[in-house]
Structure formats: C-alpha cells, structure tokens
Amino acid sequence: MLKDSKKYAIEIDGILYYLSGNKLEQIVELNDIEGDKWFISDMQEAITRTMTIEAPVKYAEIMVRKKLQESGEFAEPVSIITHWKKKKGKNTTDIFFTALPTRLFYRYSEQIREHEDSVILFPLFTVLYHALKHMRPRNPVAIVFQHSRFADLIIGTKKRVYYANRCVAFDTSEEQISSLWDMVRTDIKTIESENRIKVERVLFLNWIDSGMEPAWGEDMENKFYSFEEEAIVFNEKEYHLSFLRSIRMLSGVKGIASRTEKTLYYTQKWAPYINALFLLTGLLLLGGFFWYNQKLDLLQKDLIALEGKKASIQMRVKQEIPQIDYKDTFSFVKDLASYQRAPSYKKVVNDISAALSSDMKVDILKMDYSRNDMMIEIFGKVKAPFGMAYKGYQIFIKTLTQKGYIVKESRFNTEISNSEFFITFTKRI
Amino acid sequence: MIFFFIAAHFFLTAYNKYILSQEKIKVLNRQVQLLIKQQRELERKERIMVRVNRFINRARSLGLEKDRWAYYDVNIQEPVSFQEAEKILTQTANSSSYYFKPVTLHVKTKIESDKKSKQNKPPSTSADSPETKEGDILLTLRGGFLVKQR
C-alpha cells in the first residue's frame, strides 16, 4: 500500500517521466509532479565504473577523482557518488561509483533544493546495484538494463561488485542494437576471464523503448532471464516493464538528499500514520481518564465513608469513662477478706501442738502476719535419744506441711541425748 | 497532536488523583483499625468499671466502708499461765460481729530459768513490767478488733 502511494520521476535518455501507480506519463519538468517524490536519473554525461585504487578507503573518492581527471575523461571538476567500496589490501580499495561533472551534480542538487516538496535523488546505477543486493546472489550475476541505444551493465555478487559500465550503440536500428548486445556479451566474457569468475545468470531489465528481448547466443554459458515485469500504461498503450520492478525494490536511505530532506520526506510520508497513532493513543488516554475518574468517584465515596467512621469512632474513644472512688472501699474489703482467711493464733498454736511429739518442747514461738502470708518461727528442744528425737522432728515437719505450711528454713542440732531444732514456716493467706 | 497532549494531561491528572486517593484510603484504613482497637480497649475498661461499680455499691450497701468500722488495738506483753493464754488466744479470732486482725504473736516458754537468773539482779522499777508477774509463758500479742458500728 505504501509502495503504491509513492511518486516517481524517472529521467532516462534525457526524457523525464512520471510514474504513479501503473500509469507512466511524460512530463516537462520535475515541478509538474506535485508532492514528495523519488527522482531516478541516468544523469547524462555521468559515467559509472568499478576501480581498484591504491589508497585507503577513506581517500578512495579523492583518488578516483584525480585518476579520472588525469585520464582526461573529465575536463572539468568532477563529483563522485559512491555506491559501494571495500578495503581490498593494506592500502588498496575496491570502489563502485558514478562520476559526473560537478556543475551537473550541483544542478541536480539545486533542482532538489529549490523544489517545494521533498525529493530524493537516485542515480540509475543505484537502482541496478539495489536490485543486485536484493537478489543476494552467492555466485556472480549480471544485470543489464537496456534502453534506447544504451545498455547499463553491472556484474557482482551480494558482497562484491566486479564491473559496471554503460555500453552504447550508434542508433536504435536492429543491427546496432544487436551489436550493443554483442558488446555486453564481450564485456561479460572479459570480466569472467579477468576475475576468473563464472557469471551464472544474466538478468534483463527493459524500458518502453527497449524493443524485443534479445536472442541470447546458445554458445553462451550464461543463462539469460528477464526480470519480473510490471504492466503499465503509457500514452494509452500497455507496456510490460521489468525496470519498474527494480525501482520498487529501492530504499529511500540510499538516495541522494540531505539528512533534513530525507527526514522531511519520511516525516510527511508517515505523518498520517503517526497522527493516527497519536489519535488512537489519545483516545485510549481519554478512555483511561474516564475509567480512572469512575474509579476515583468510587474511591471518594469510600473515603467519605471511612472519614465518617473515623470521626464517629474518635467521638466514642474521646469519651472518658466516669471514674468512681473505689480504692479505699476496695482496699478495706480486701483487708477484711484477708482477716477472714488468716488462720487465727489459736488454730496455728493447735496445729503446732498437734504435730509435736511428747519429747518435743517449744521454747520460742513467733508468728508474724502480713496481708498475703504469715511467717512462723519455732525454736525448741527434744529430750530424747537422737533416733527418736529426729523421727519426732521429721513427723513434726511432715504434719505441718500436710496442713499447708511451707518449710522455709530448718535446722536440727543434736548432743545425742538432747537435741535442738529451729524451723521457719510460711503460709499463704 | 494537541488532542493527544490534552488527553495525556487529563489522563495523568486523573491517574495521579486515583493513586493519591488510594494512598489516602490506605492511611485512613490504618487509622480506623487503630481507633477500633482503642474502642475495644475502652469497651473492656467500661465493662470492668461496671463490675467495679457494682461491687463497690454492693460493698457500701453492706456497710463495708472503713469509716463505718471501729478499730480496737490489742497489745499484750506479759507472762501468763497456760489457762490465761488459752483464753486470750480463743478470743483473738473472727466472729459473726467482728473481725480480728492478727499482727504478731510471740510466745516464750522458758521463763523459769530466766527468772532464776534475774533473781540475783536488783528488782525492776516498773511494777507492771513482764518480769514482775509470774506465769508459764511470756506472751507478746499484737493485733486489733474491727467492729462494725451500728
């Protein structure tokens, strides 16, 4: 869809054509085409060559320019358009270029610059080189574009260009065209022998004035193919042109134009899509806005509800619990309960008396009460032999322990016939 | 393009508000949870206070207030016979009309030998001192009777 929308200006053999869709028409000047366009030109007076230069890659163009001027091919300043170059040795570079007088190059540049719309210029051999690259052949192939009395020839693989040249006949008579193709064959054979390569295929590109497809000699080892053709209408007559197919393979990046020009061209070309994208994104964002607003409304409701809940709880939490003076009464009741629970003096004395054996005499008995417990200290003597005395002492402790008294300290000293004991008990109240 | 930027502006504003509201709700939820905890604690305190009130009212209705009771201190320190001691001890107990608050009871049974040893010493100046009175035991008793006033 994008390819179809492109406008092409094609300048071949000094005639300017306008190609739009499948319609070709002759025009007078570039300004006859409105809008952005690609301008393909064979740039008359230009020559296209391959060369091996004794110079680093960086300076290859300077050396080419010098060589061309020294050889007398150009008697005026020359501009080089490099299609491809590759470092061959330490100080050697292979280069494939189109050279044209600088004044002509400036004329084209000026024409492009002065044009209202964006124009990207493609030398004819750029189209051929691109077709070669597009095919990506592993073994060498030749592409021949025959138009009028010219045959533009390029031989190469996907990685290297071996040869490029324009073969010229005196006129377009059948005889001359036949000798033009002989020239092409000779060139191919020469390159094959010079580079020790075998050109597997020869691909033919035709134009409206190419005439019939040439008879490729049966003695030739190369296979002859015609490029895929495209039907177009020119002067109300239908033509099947394969050159147009190669034009469709072009990429704008390889064209000659300033970076700004290219940027403008692509910006204008993609503007509707970018706008559509922005519009779509804008619509999505707008949708997002409404969606978030809806969510926001729900959140606001939750927020208000939570605020209300918080306020009501805060009100309740702030309410102070009425304090009443309970401490004195509570303490007094606790005291009374403590007195109620505390074993009386008499009960403790009775417990102790009941636990004492007949030989045991208490000398000192002390009872001290506090709110939660009581402490008893008993000091006494046993007038009996040790065995009996100690047994009585143990029974005494055991009896009181069973009644809830806890032994805190106990001492028993004996003089065999007399013994002394000291015990401290506690009891919880 | 302008439409895109306007839409983006509105979208981002709404999105920011949404995020902000979510944060607010998080904070509020935490605050409400904290307040609910405080409220529960308050309710627990209230329940306790109701029980305390009920208890205090009941105690007051039963006259269990300090100022409505009389306290009679008991402080005995003298030699007594076993019969006397038993009588004293029998009385120092709770009854239906009073409480006895026990504090200290010290009993020393070997006062015979002490007396003999003290006969060699000059007589005491106080007639009421424990050494002047004869008995089986030396009794030291401290405590008090707590009687409800009518």
Side-chain angles (χ1 to χ4, degrees):
Chain A
M1 187 184 146
L2 285 171
K3 292 258 178 187
D4 290 345
S5 63
K6 243 176 249 160
K7 290 173 182 173
Y8 297 96
I10 304 166
E11 186 186 44
I12 289 177
D13 307 326
I15 303 166
L16 196 60
Y17 301 92
Y18 166 45
L19 173 70
S20 177
N22 65 346
K23 200 178 167 192
L24 188 72
E25 58 181 292
Q26 196 174 329
I27 53 170
V28 179
E29 55 177 11
L30 207 57
N31 285 332
D32 292 347
I33 308 169
E34 281 182 6
D36 299 339
K37 59 197 80 68
W38 285 9
F39 180 29
I40 296 134
S41 172
D42 62 351
M43 294 174 170
Q44 286 191 315
E45 296 184 52
I47 58 160
T48 301
R49 294 270 192 286
T50 54
M51 265 189 196
T52 301
I53 301 293
E54 292 292 324
V57 177
K58 205 174 170 182
Y59 305 110
E61 284 86 354
I62 299 166
M63 292 305 291
V64 167
R65 202 179 296 134
K66 195 180 166 191
K67 261 193 168 184
L68 289 172
Q69 282 177 326
E70 279 174 0
S71 66
E73 284 194 73
F74 289 93
E76 55 185 321
V78 61
S79 291
I80 308 294
I81 300 165
T82 306
H83 303 295
W84 168 87
K85 62 180 174 178
K86 193 178 181 184
K87 187 178 177 185
K88 193 178 181 185
K90 201 177 177 184
N91 201 27
T92 316
T93 306
D94 279 339
I95 184 166
F96 165 41
F97 61 91
T98 295
L100 72 163
T102 303
R103 65 173 164 79
L104 192 65
F105 185 73
Y106 281 168
R107 203 184 75 200
Y108 278 111
S109 301
E110 200 70 21
Q111 202 177 358
I112 290 168
R113 207 178 303 124
E114 282 176 1
H115 203 279
E116 277 182 9
D117 304 300
S118 296
V119 179
I120 300 176
L121 174 68
F122 296 90
L124 181 65
F125 270 87
T126 301
V127 180
L128 302 185
Y129 176 57
H130 228 80
L132 179 74
K133 273 181 78 178
H134 190 79
M135 287 164 62
R136 301 179 62 78
R138 208 175 268 182
N139 297 317
V141 295
I143 296 175
V144 186
F145 174 44
Q146 195 249 308
H147 51 98
S148 184
R149 60 190 181 94
F150 304 103
D152 294 317
L153 169 67
I154 178 171
I155 299 170
T157 61
K158 64 178 179 180
K159 286 182 180 171
R160 188 183 166 185
V161 178
Y162 292 100
Y163 183 69
N165 192 24
R166 167 172 277 194
C167 301
V168 187
F170 287 109
D171 53 48
T172 54
S173 65
E174 202 175 314
E175 197 179 307
Q176 281 300 316
I177 295 299
S178 175
S179 67
L180 177 72
W181 279 104
D182 286 340
M183 265 188 267
V184 170
R185 282 190 204 96
T186 311
D187 274 3
I188 291 171
K189 275 183 181 170
T190 311
I191 294 304
E192 277 181 328
S193 64
E194 274 180 7
N195 291 283
R196 291 174 194 166
I197 55 168
K198 169 90 178 68
V199 175
E200 279 188 348
R201 290 176 291 166
V202 176
L203 291 148
F204 171 58
L205 301 175
N206 68 339
W207 186 239
I208 47 172
D209 53 7
S210 297
M212 294 294 286
E213 191 178 301
W216 196 254
E218 280 183 11
D219 55 327
M220 291 295 287
E221 290 176 3
N222 331 93
K223 288 176 183 170
F224 189 83
Y225 294 99
S226 219
F227 223 72
E228 198 182 340
E229 291 171 346
E230 194 176 309
I232 57 120
V233 178
F234 177 66
N235 285 342
E236 296 173 357
K237 196 177 167 189
E238 191 178 286
Y239 291 87
H240 292 270
L241 303 183
S242 49
F243 180 65
L244 297 182
R245 181 63 70 181
S246 65
I247 286 177
R248 309 280 188 209
M249 293 171 185
L250 272 179
S251 158
V253 184
K254 300 290 173 188
I256 298 167
S258 66
R259 195 169 289 176
T260 321
E261 197 76 24
K262 280 184 187 176
T263 311
L264 276 171
Y265 173 81
Y266 279 104
T267 308
Q268 280 185 351
K269 188 182 169 188
W270 289 102
Y273 302 98
I274 293 166
N275 280 340
L277 187 73
F278 271 108
L279 183 73
L280 195 71
T281 317
L283 285 171
L284 283 173
L285 289 173
L286 205 64
F289 162 71
F290 286 118
W291 189 78
Y292 274 116
N293 259 351
Q294 209 176 6
K295 286 264 176 194
L296 203 63
D297 284 345
L298 293 173
L299 282 183
Q300 288 295 340
K301 278 177 192 166
D302 288 353
L303 215 62
I304 291 164
L306 273 173
E307 292 274 11
K309 194 175 176 184
K310 183 187 162 188
S312 73
I313 295 172
Q314 261 176 340
M315 286 271 284
R316 267 181 279 166
V317 168
K318 275 180 186 170
Q319 282 174 356
E320 284 191 13
I321 304 166
Q323 297 281 335
I324 52 156
D325 185 22
Y326 64 89
K327 282 181 185 165
D328 288 346
T329 311
F330 195 68
S331 175
F332 181 67
V333 171
K334 268 181 93 174
D335 285 343
L336 288 183
S338 169
Y339 307 152
Q340 179 79 45
R341 283 196 308 271
S344 67
Y345 290 141
K346 193 181 176 187
K347 186 180 183 307
V348 177
V349 170
N350 284 345
D351 287 344
I352 293 166
S353 301
L356 286 170
S357 66
S358 56
D359 305 320
M360 292 173 86
K361 300 283 180 221
V362 174
D363 287 345
I364 295 168
L365 169 67
K366 286 183 180 178
M367 283 187 253
D368 292 300
Y369 286 74
S370 66
R371 189 184 239 182
N372 298 317
D373 55 14
M374 62 174 296
M375 198 164 89
I376 304 163
E377 282 179 18
I378 305 167
F379 175 74
K381 285 184 179 156
V382 190
K383 284 186 180 175
F386 172 75
M388 281 176 69
Y390 191 70
K391 198 177 179 185
Y393 167 74
Q394 279 182 318
I395 290 167
F396 177 69
I397 289 175
K398 193 181 174 187
T399 310
L400 285 175
T401 308
Q402 280 169 352
K403 288 182 177 175
Y405 297 91
I406 299 157
V407 178
K408 201 176 173 190
E409 192 186 342
S410 67
R411 286 203 300 268
F412 185 84
N413 298 317
T414 183
E415 292 171 5
I416 310 298
S417 54
N418 289 312
S419 299
E420 281 180 356
F421 62 92
F422 175 77
I423 310 166
T424 307
F425 292 102
T426 58
K427 190 174 186 181
R428 279 191 69 80
I429 296 172
Chain B
M1 192 75 95
I2 294 165
F3 167 71
F4 169 79
F5 283 114
I6 291 170
H9 168 74
F10 279 112
F11 171 79
L12 287 174
T13 311
Y15 179 73
N16 277 342
K17 276 185 187 169
Y18 174 76
I19 296 292
L20 205 69
S21 295
Q22 266 192 334
E23 282 301 314
K24 267 187 189 172
I25 282 191
K26 268 186 200 169
V27 172
L28 263 175
N29 265 325
R30 273 201 290 270
Q31 284 179 347
V32 166
Q33 290 304 315
L34 201 72
L35 282 169
I36 286 171
K37 262 188 188 175
Q38 283 183 357
Q39 194 190 359
R40 278 187 198 143
E41 187 63 20
L42 195 77
E43 283 167 358
R44 196 177 71 85
K45 276 183 186 172
E46 270 176 350
R47 280 198 299 275
I48 291 168
M49 287 315 292
V50 166
R51 284 169 65 189
V52 168
N53 272 347
R54 209 180 294 150
F55 175 79
I56 296 298
N57 288 337
R58 174 89 176 133
R60 280 174 184 164
S61 70
L62 290 170
L64 297 173
E65 284 175 298
K66 201 174 182 178
D67 52 1
R68 290 173 71 181
W69 289 68
Y71 184 76
Y72 302 103
D73 201 26
V74 176
N75 190 356
I76 302 167
Q77 192 177 8
E78 58 184 16
V80 290
S81 66
F82 284 121
Q83 287 78 16
E84 280 175 323
E86 193 185 354
K87 275 182 195 170
I88 292 166
L89 292 183
T90 306
Q91 288 176 69
T92 54
N94 298 316
S95 79
S96 58
S97 54
Y98 61 81
Y99 286 93
F100 180 76
K101 178 191 176 184
V103 179
T104 303
L105 175 72
H106 289 190
V107 176
K108 195 175 176 185
T109 56
K110 275 189 75 181
I111 55 169
E112 292 290 331
S113 55
D114 291 349
K115 262 194 276 180
K116 280 173 193 171
S117 63
K118 279 167 187 169
Q119 273 173 355
N120 300 327
K121 289 180 183 174
S124 171
T125 48
S126 167
D128 295 330
S129 67
E131 287 81 0
T132 55
K133 196 177 170 184
E134 287 189 4
D136 299 315
I137 55 172
L138 177 62
L139 183 77
T140 307
L141 189 146
R142 284 197 191 96
F145 287 99
L146 211 62
V147 187
K148 191 179 175 187
Q149 291 175 326
R150 301 275 171 194

